[in-house]
Amino acid sequence: MEVNFALSEISSLIPWLVWIVPVVGALLIPLLSRVNSSVRDYAPSIFALVSALLATSLLPLVFAGETLHHTISWIPSLNINAGVLADPLAVLMANFVAWISFLIMVYSIGYMHGESNLTRYWFFMLFFIGNMQLIVLSDNFLQLFFGWEGVGLCSYGLIGFWNKDKEEHMVGSPNHKALGLLQSYLPSHAGMKALVTTRIGDIAFLIGLLLLYAYAGTFSFIELAENASWAKEMAAVGLLIPSALFIFGGAIGKSAQFPLHVWLPDAMAGPTSVSALIHAATMVKAGVFLVARVGPIFYVAAEAVDIIAPFFMTIAWIGVFTAFLAATQAMVAKEIKKVLAYSTVSQIGYMMLALGSAGLTSDFAFGFSAGFFHLISHALFKASLFMAAGALIHSTGTRFLNEMGGLRKNMKFTYIAVLLAAASLSGIPPLSGFWSKDAILASVLSMDSYSSWYLLYALALITAIITVFYTFRMVGMVFFSKTNLGKNNNVHEAPKIMWIPYMILAFATFLLGLIGPAFEHFLHDTLGASLKSQFGLISHSHHSGLNNVAVASSLFAVIVGGFFAYQFYISSKWSADKVINSNSILSNLHTFFTNRWYINAIYYKIFVLPTVKLSGIIFNRVELGMFDKINDSSANASQSFSTLSDKFDRYVVDKAVNGFAYVSVKLSKISRTLQTGLTQEYIAMFIAGIIIVVITMFFRIVL
């Protein structure tokens, strides 16, 4: 039910302020930096806190089952309004974005202490948060797209923050090659890679938007949902599913799903606080939110013309394949942040799987709420893990897992936080990750009317096993294995301003796990009611209960993955290197996974290197060979003309002027001799003049 905002004009402003406050804060950072560095460094957290409190003030709408929608005129000539849509989906998302972002900003005060160019850092961080909230709270595609591009710009600026490109900020093993190409990247390269790769998805997104607008005549989510006649027109010309897939292409880019997944692992070249923000609260979650926002619209639209399956099946398959693809790379990654990056790509894949399954069941809210539940759960434990990883790197001076070890005694708080968050990521009960992953598996099981559902489920289950393995591989190598720090073994706990934020999030995932079934039920009912009021989609509450097969599968994944991780990396009873080297198949698989399935290298071979080569040819032949020669010729011609002009000025103009002056001086001297001052001489000159005139007239008459 929609709230009548005549009740309170102030209440209608709150959703606007949620995203405006961080944006304004970002614009004020350069001015605050002129006051002093302390004001500049602490003010961003205050702006983030204000935005979080404003988002919290919207929660009563969720509990009341209400939606706040407010618009203002934006482009009257095209009948386009700007607006905010604070429905349960947006309000819940806005709160998790705001509060996790706030904790990351607090963490940043300690993590970034002593770094240069912090004005730029704080500007982009606040602008990042503001644009993400703009995405979440927008009521139309066009406005959302502005926030969409804003987070893309910020990701470029923050991933490449250490633009001096020092080797210590590199991501990837320095000498590692795949297909003859180095697989390590400096921050500036990683930032550009993120920008270019995500732009591919953004172009697809824009094409989809324009196709939709061409037939629907509106960008508004509410208007698209209220009248599905546009869907029939697009379906009649075969453009409905393509336009939906183009829009999904934007989500593929932003959320780093196959085939545009390659940018996210290399984005680890940025500061760890940036990694936490991108992975937990912004950027990659934008794609998931987009699918959650447009999924019901296309579900209703496609249902009207009976072509539901292709769109949602594509989402599900891309999601589950990406989950498996990234998980295999995470279990062989050597850097702690890369393990977490691959993990994010994988877990986003799970969310996409759930949202895809939503459109392939009779109860859309089932998969819809499962995907959103995992988004929330993942935001908590992944933000905690990334910030803890930053503390570990900060304390040990290394990003490589094999150079750490035995740190549970040195960094007890970090160890506890990582253990809780890792357990949640692995899906160990009763933490939140167990319930949310279970809900996803259950949503796949509900797709029994589709022949390929068991393949999706099998791949999701295998991925769950791998997830447990790589997670506790990381835990074992960092905290349990023999220390490899050598003389640098003076590791100590991170400052309180760093470990308190990620400890809060670690305990949050634990507490959320304690109420996991109740929270899942709450999400299902709340989002289901919203889907019914906005789209007429009927939810069946009996679907929200536990599925015995899914629970058994989750526990099986924990046991199998945990067993092997324990044997290899915690108890160290087995040697991973010996097992891999003793079997050619395992050795080849290890190389294959380490080389990222060669996908990244192939992209460079096919797209990057030819483009660089072509740009080199254009530079040498066009820029240097043509334009520079034209410029040089123009410059030489101009120089020659100026030289000629100088000579003409000196030898013609100057001599003429000087000659005229010389003659004038001579004549004046002569004339001065005639000016004696004697009256008789002037009379004589006058008479002589008369005589000359008379003689002249005489000759003219005669002749």
Side-chain angles (χ1 to χ4, degrees):
M1 152 179 161
E2 189 164 308
V3 177
N4 184 353
F5 295 105
L7 298 175
S8 176
E9 288 296 326
I10 297 176
S11 64
S12 65
L13 295 176
I14 293 176
W16 293 95
L17 293 174
V18 170
W19 68 266
I20 289 174
V21 166
V23 171
V24 171
L27 298 175
L28 290 175
I29 287 298
L31 297 175
L32 295 175
S33 67
R34 295 179 176 272
V35 179
N36 60 59
S37 60
S38 295
V39 173
R40 176 201 63 192
D41 295 344
Y42 283 90
S45 297
I46 296 174
F47 285 113
L49 177 60
V50 172
S51 178
L53 292 172
L54 288 168
T56 302
S57 70
L58 296 173
L59 284 176
L61 291 172
V62 176
F63 299 119
E66 298 174 339
T67 295
L68 190 157
H69 183 219
H70 185 253
T71 62
I72 58 174
S73 180
W74 185 14
I75 310 175
S77 59
L78 298 177
N79 197 29
I80 296 175
N81 295 326
V84 288
L85 178 62
D87 61 356
L89 176 70
V91 172
L92 290 172
M93 184 74 178
N95 272 275
F96 278 92
V97 169
W99 285 108
I100 291 174
S101 297
F102 166 67
L103 290 173
I104 294 171
M105 297 297 270
V106 173
Y107 171 88
S108 294
I109 297 172
Y111 184 79
M112 298 299 291
H113 179 73
E115 291 285 346
S116 58
N117 300 314
L118 283 181
T119 299
R120 172 161 53 90
Y121 173 84
W122 291 119
F123 169 82
F124 277 123
M125 290 288 279
L126 278 174
F127 202 58
F128 212 152
I129 297 168
N131 278 278
M132 183 63 193
Q133 295 289 31
L134 176 60
I135 292 173
V136 171
L137 291 164
S138 291
D139 79 329
N140 65 86
F141 274 118
L142 186 60
Q143 187 177 311
L144 182 149
F145 192 74
F146 276 86
W148 193 265
E149 292 302 296
V151 297
L153 173 64
C154 293
S155 69
Y156 167 70
L158 289 169
I159 293 169
F161 174 75
W162 284 316
N163 54 18
K164 300 296 183 181
D165 284 343
K166 297 180 180 178
E167 189 173 334
E168 64 188 272
H169 299 139
M170 182 182 290
V171 62
S173 300
N175 300 317
H176 178 221
K177 291 184 178 181
L179 300 181
L181 301 175
L182 283 172
Q183 298 297 290
S184 55
Y185 305 103
L186 294 166
S188 59
H189 183 98
M192 183 59 69
K193 185 175 184 177
L195 183 69
V196 173
T197 306
T198 56
R199 288 296 80 72
I200 297 171
D202 294 354
I203 292 171
F205 185 15
L206 186 60
I207 293 172
L209 294 190
L210 295 177
L211 284 173
L212 196 63
Y213 183 76
Y215 284 88
T218 182
F219 290 110
S220 171
F221 302 136
I222 293 177
E223 292 176 6
L224 289 169
E226 287 177 345
N227 184 6
S229 60
W230 56 270
K232 296 180 180 179
E233 296 179 19
M234 295 186 76
V237 294
L239 287 177
L240 179 61
I241 297 303
S243 68
L245 291 175
F246 273 124
I247 292 173
F248 178 54
I252 288 175
K254 277 290 190 289
S255 291
Q257 298 294 281
F258 176 82
L260 300 179
H261 63 287
V262 293
W263 69 268
L264 191 57
D266 299 324
M268 299 305 98
T272 305
S273 50
V274 172
S275 303
L277 191 66
I278 289 176
H279 289 251
T282 61
M283 192 71 169
V284 295
K285 297 296 173 61
V288 180
F289 179 81
L290 176 66
V291 175
R293 177 60 83 196
V294 304
I297 296 174
F298 281 106
Y299 182 82
V300 173
E303 192 177 43
V305 291
D306 196 28
I307 50 171
I308 297 174
F311 175 56
F312 289 100
M313 188 61 77
T314 301
I315 295 173
W317 270 111
I318 286 181
V320 76
F321 177 73
T322 305
F324 175 72
L325 170 75
T328 60
Q329 296 172 59
M331 70 178 181
V332 297
K334 297 178 181 179
E335 300 161 78
I336 186 170
K337 286 175 65 178
K338 266 203 163 183
V339 173
L340 298 176
Y342 288 126
S343 173
T344 294
V345 177
S346 181
Q347 296 304 304
I348 294 292
Y350 267 116
M351 300 171 206
M352 293 297 186
L353 171 62
L355 294 174
S357 69
L360 301 170
T361 66
S362 59
D363 186 357
F364 189 90
F366 190 26
F368 188 80
S369 60
F372 193 68
F373 186 12
H374 199 57
L375 183 150
I376 294 170
S377 181
H378 178 265
L380 296 174
F381 63 68
K382 190 53 62 72
S384 180
L385 285 170
F386 262 111
M387 287 191 281
L392 290 165
I393 295 170
H394 189 271
S395 295
T396 62
T398 181
R399 64 183 186 270
F400 294 100
L401 292 169
N402 62 345
E403 295 179 358
M404 299 182 185
L407 297 179
R408 67 185 186 278
K409 297 179 181 179
N410 305 73
M411 304 179 70
K412 294 180 180 179
F413 292 116
T414 300
Y415 170 62
I416 294 171
V418 170
L419 200 59
L420 285 171
S424 187
L425 169 60
S426 301
I428 296 176
L431 290 99
S432 65
F434 170 78
W435 303 111
S436 60
K437 196 170 293 184
D438 174 78
I440 292 173
L441 293 175
S443 70
V444 178
L445 287 173
S446 68
M447 296 165 49
D448 54 4
S449 60
Y450 294 91
S451 59
S452 62
W453 71 267
Y454 63 91
L455 295 175
L456 290 169
Y457 191 84
L459 203 53
L461 181 58
I462 293 170
T463 303
I465 295 171
I466 298 173
T467 300
V468 180
F469 176 80
Y470 72 65
T471 301
F472 280 95
R473 168 182 176 265
M474 177 190 69
V475 172
M477 293 182 74
V478 173
F479 296 105
F480 288 91
S481 65
K482 185 179 179 181
T483 182
N484 293 302
L485 294 172
K487 295 180 180 180
N488 296 322
N489 194 11
N490 57 351
V491 179
H492 55 80
E493 187 59 84
K496 287 184 180 180
I497 200 168
M498 290 175 62
W499 68 256
I500 288 178
Y502 57 77
M503 184 65 77
I504 290 173
L505 291 171
F507 271 99
T509 194
F510 173 73
L511 294 174
L512 183 60
L514 295 180
I515 59 168
F519 187 72
E520 181 187 351
H521 186 77
F522 164 76
L523 284 179
H524 183 273
D525 289 351
T526 302
L527 296 177
S530 179
L531 290 170
K532 182 180 179 180
S533 65
Q534 293 185 58
F535 307 100
L537 298 176
I538 305 299
S539 172
H540 308 288
S541 60
H542 67 273
H543 277 159
S544 63
L546 293 177
N547 184 293
N548 293 331
V549 176
V551 172
S553 299
S554 298
L555 294 175
F556 175 76
V558 170
I559 293 170
V560 175
F563 172 78
F564 285 101
Y566 179 82
Q567 296 293 335
F568 281 116
Y569 299 105
I570 296 178
S571 69
S572 300
K573 292 180 179 180
W574 298 349
S575 172
D577 291 336
K578 288 182 179 179
V579 172
I580 293 170
N581 295 330
S582 64
N583 188 295
S584 61
I585 296 175
L586 290 177
S587 180
N588 290 331
L589 273 176
H590 185 274
T591 301
F592 183 69
F593 295 153
T594 302
N595 290 333
R596 303 165 69 170
W597 291 42
Y598 295 98
I599 295 173
N600 185 68
I602 291 171
Y603 283 176
Y604 273 80
K605 287 277 189 180
I606 296 176
F607 300 111
V608 179
L609 295 182
T611 303
V612 172
K613 187 176 180 179
L614 178 62
S615 66
I617 294 172
I618 294 173
F619 176 76
N620 289 320
R621 296 185 180 181
V622 179
E623 180 72 18
L624 296 180
M626 186 183 298
F627 293 137
D628 280 8
K629 285 185 177 180
I630 293 173
N631 291 336
D632 291 343
S633 299
S634 300
N636 292 334
S638 179
Q639 186 177 7
S640 299
F641 179 77
S642 65
T643 301
L644 182 62
S645 176
D646 178 66
K647 290 181 178 179
F648 180 81
D649 184 62
R650 284 188 294 165
Y651 295 109
V652 178
V653 177
D654 285 358
K655 286 189 176 295
V657 172
N658 292 336
F660 181 78
Y662 177 80
V663 172
S664 298
V665 170
K666 289 294 185 181
L667 290 175
S668 67
K669 288 182 179 180
I670 295 172
S671 65
R672 285 182 64 186
T673 59
L674 300 176
Q675 299 176 6
T676 61
L678 300 176
T679 305
Q680 57 269 29
E681 290 185 2
Y682 292 147
I683 294 172
M685 292 172 63
F686 177 73
I687 295 172
I690 292 175
I691 294 172
I692 293 171
V693 171
V694 171
I695 294 171
T696 302
M697 293 177 65
F698 173 77
F699 278 106
R700 292 190 65 178
I701 293 170
V702 172
L703 296 176

